Amino acid sequence: MENKNTQLNIKDEPEKGLKRELETSQLSMIAMGCAIGTGLFLGSGLAIQAAGPSVLLSYALGAFIVLLLMGCLAEMTVAHPTSGSFGAIAEKYMTPMAGYLVRYSYWIGNVLAVGVEVSAVSVYMNYWFPAVPGIVWILLFAGVLIYVNATSVNTFATFEYWFSFIKISAIVGFILLGAYVLFGSSGQPHIGPENFVNEGGFFPFGLKGMWIAVFISLFSFLGTELIAVTSGEAKDPDAAVPKALKATVFRLSTFYVLTIGIMLMIVPWKTAGIEVSPFVKVMEILNIPGASGIMNFIILTAAISAMNAQLYASTRMMFSLARGKNAPSFLGKLNKKGVPTKALAVSSTGIFIAAGVHALLPGSSYAFMMGISMFGAMFTWLMIFISHLFFRVKWDKTGGRKLPVRMIGFPYLTILGAVLLFSLMITSWFTDFKIMLQFGIPWLLFLSVAYFVSKKRNINHNVVEETLAEKIE
């Protein structure tokens, strides 16, 4: 009789060939690198404009949703450490079609998110070189990161580790500097906690503005789920994944709330925007020589780091699709160093989409790319919550091994996370981010048709093969 634990394991043979080289510290830094990008340094300006000072509550609520998400994801990833991750889990515990939709939606979300980061790169470089067209920087940095991702997973992880280290050090430095200016120096006029209630109070746009900003804040947390994708190349996923997930969520929550709180006490919220990063504006207001240029450089590294991590994520998801026979088989091939370079090439298309959008919409390319990239991530997150409901019921019913990590408050907190996330997705229809659903709904319809067409083709192909085999016999 087959062992119950074996029955519940997702076979990792389709992804054979990937190198298990990633350490726990690298997993954490990769997730931090993916999440700490333009969402905090540039996108926070959009959130502040939507909510005013109440954006602090928006980020806190966003962090709570992500905390629930990571609890569900940690439990499932420990059970099934594979690069297919939540796509493979949705396929096994829900339906093959669910896995297909999740994988492709996550792939397109990351492909477009790469475009978001590279659009932001052009904004940052414009700070120093206003006469150079943004498309030049887009193509230059894209070439460097494609090369990094094409070498080996260890090279990618080392690159990501140090870039993330720079970002985290900069954020800690920003918090310490801001705390000194606010509480340790003699003080400056128009700087202090009173900025939380000036210009319309703490809720200048009411609860509606605060709620809308929660949606924008979630963009700052996108990438934390990448730890689940990297589990297929982790040395000890049972121990590394839960630890990395918990550390990432708490660090991000602390960084975001503290940095934005300090920023709002120094920069009046009405002056925040996305022409330049609010962080750079803080340095300009404090009039520290050269500091704004240094901060702009740090923010530039943040965008490059996030772009690097998202390129990795989209590449691994396309590789998983190909190995699962849901994409052309050549995309599942590895080079000698265990890197799926053909999947990398296809996943780089977001860069060229961003270049085209930047050429057509130079003044609003960032907000547009952010809007369309959000759907893939939001849909994936929603499906993680739903998959967890199916996963836990089946796992407990079939008597799988005792998991070292279990989501507390099941099923109530899992359902709460799903309801909050779904409500935010619906809310986007009534905001400037309506483009997310305008893109996402047709995308799901297209994928659904593509799934049934490919399924029918595979059935016909198998029938032909069986007929030929019978004739040969």
Side-chain angles (χ1 to χ4, degrees):
M1 182 177 177
E2 189 177 12
N3 184 278
K4 288 180 179 180
N5 292 347
T6 305
Q7 287 179 323
L8 288 167
N9 286 331
I10 292 176
K11 293 180 181 179
D12 59 4
E13 285 300 312
E15 295 177 5
K16 194 173 182 179
L18 291 175
K19 308 293 185 182
R20 287 194 175 271
E21 298 179 346
L22 299 180
E23 305 278 358
T24 303
S25 59
Q26 290 177 317
L27 290 179
S28 296
M29 283 298 196
I30 288 169
M32 295 281 281
C34 194
I36 302 178
T38 59
L40 173 62
F41 289 114
L42 196 60
S44 56
L46 285 174
I48 291 168
Q49 287 300 307
S54 67
V55 73
L56 288 172
L57 297 181
S58 303
Y59 272 83
L61 184 53
F64 174 70
I65 294 172
V66 176
L67 186 62
L68 297 181
L69 182 83
M70 292 301 107
C72 298
L73 192 55
E75 181 180 307
M76 295 189 293
T77 303
V78 167
H80 303 300
T82 167
S83 290
S85 188
F86 28 78
I89 292 167
E91 178 180 339
K92 179 175 179 63
Y93 291 95
M94 294 179 67
T95 65
M97 183 177 177
Y100 183 91
L101 295 178
V102 169
R103 282 185 174 111
Y104 266 110
S105 294
Y106 187 68
W107 176 78
I108 194 65
N110 273 283
V111 165
L112 295 173
V114 170
V116 175
E117 301 296 343
V118 82
S119 296
V121 164
S122 66
V123 173
Y124 301 144
M125 293 304 293
N126 185 66
Y127 181 85
W128 291 303
F129 306 100
V132 178
I135 195 170
V136 172
W137 304 117
I138 289 175
L139 296 177
L140 176 63
F141 286 103
V144 172
L145 293 182
I146 290 172
Y147 172 77
V148 169
N149 273 267
T151 51
S152 71
V153 68
N154 204 39
T155 301
F156 156 78
T158 301
F159 180 92
E160 195 61 34
Y161 182 93
W162 288 109
F163 264 49
S164 295
F165 181 81
I166 292 172
K167 288 189 290 188
I168 292 169
S169 299
I171 291 173
V172 172
F174 179 86
I175 291 171
L176 294 175
L177 174 63
Y180 172 75
V181 170
L182 291 167
F183 308 112
S185 66
S186 57
Q188 298 186 40
H190 311 299
I191 290 180
E194 60 269 19
N195 279 338
F196 287 143
V197 293
N198 289 341
E199 305 290 345
F202 190 72
F203 291 94
F205 302 106
L207 293 175
K208 179 183 175 182
M210 187 273 290
W211 177 252
I212 290 172
V214 175
F215 172 79
I216 302 173
S217 77
L218 290 179
F219 186 77
S220 300
F221 291 97
L222 297 184
T224 48
E225 77 290 331
L226 182 59
I227 291 175
V229 178
T230 59
S231 66
E233 294 172 271
K235 283 186 176 180
D236 183 13
D238 277 22
V241 171
K243 185 177 179 181
L245 282 169
K246 290 176 185 177
T248 300
V249 173
F250 284 112
R251 287 172 189 169
L252 288 176
S253 303
T254 302
F255 285 161
Y256 287 167
V257 174
L258 277 177
T259 52
I260 293 175
I262 288 171
M263 184 195 307
L264 288 171
M265 285 190 278
I266 296 175
V267 179
W269 70 265
K270 282 191 174 182
T271 66
I274 61 168
E275 294 80 15
V276 296
S277 169
F279 285 78
V280 174
K281 284 191 175 183
V282 167
M283 295 305 176
E284 290 175 346
I285 287 175
L286 296 179
N287 199 27
I288 300 173
S292 59
I294 294 171
M295 181 57 72
N296 196 64
F297 169 76
I298 291 167
I299 296 169
L300 173 66
T301 65
I304 295 170
S305 170
M307 178 182 165
N308 188 42
Q310 287 155 352
L311 194 55
Y312 169 90
S314 56
T315 299
R316 286 340 184 251
M317 197 54 67
M318 179 51 68
F319 168 78
S320 177
L321 279 161
R323 287 295 179 92
K325 299 182 180 179
N326 289 312
S329 58
F330 74 90
L331 296 174
K333 293 183 178 179
L334 301 168
N335 65 9
K336 293 180 180 179
K337 295 182 179 179
V339 177
T341 49
K342 292 181 174 62
L344 170 63
V346 172
S347 299
S348 301
T349 52
I351 295 165
F352 302 103
I353 293 172
V357 171
H358 185 83
L360 295 172
L361 305 169
S364 57
S365 61
Y366 174 78
F368 179 83
M369 289 298 296
M370 178 180 172
I372 63 174
S373 72
M374 282 287 282
F375 179 80
M378 292 293 96
F379 176 73
T380 299
W381 282 16
L382 180 62
M383 291 297 284
I384 288 172
F385 281 120
I386 296 172
S387 296
H388 184 250
L389 292 171
F390 284 85
F391 164 82
R392 173 67 79 83
V393 170
K394 188 172 181 180
W395 187 274
D396 291 343
K397 185 177 180 180
T398 53
R401 67 185 173 92
K402 185 178 179 180
L403 295 170
V405 179
R406 288 177 74 86
M407 173 66 177
I408 61 171
F410 179 86
Y412 307 108
L413 290 183
T414 302
I415 294 171
L416 176 62
V419 169
L420 287 172
L421 196 60
F422 183 72
S423 300
L424 286 165
M425 292 176 72
I426 297 301
T427 298
S428 70
W429 185 262
F430 306 99
T431 70
D432 292 340
F433 291 95
K434 186 178 181 179
I435 185 66
M436 185 191 83
L437 292 179
Q438 288 176 326
F439 167 80
I441 294 172
W443 169 253
L444 284 184
L445 291 173
F446 166 77
L447 280 185
S448 299
V449 172
Y451 173 77
F452 286 111
V453 170
S454 64
K455 185 178 180 182
K456 185 176 180 181
R457 186 178 60 202
N458 288 338
I459 291 172
N460 292 336
H461 179 70
N462 291 337
V463 169
V464 171
E465 285 188 338
E466 288 173 5
T467 302
L468 288 172
E470 288 174 2
K471 286 182 178 180
I472 292 172
E473 290 177 358

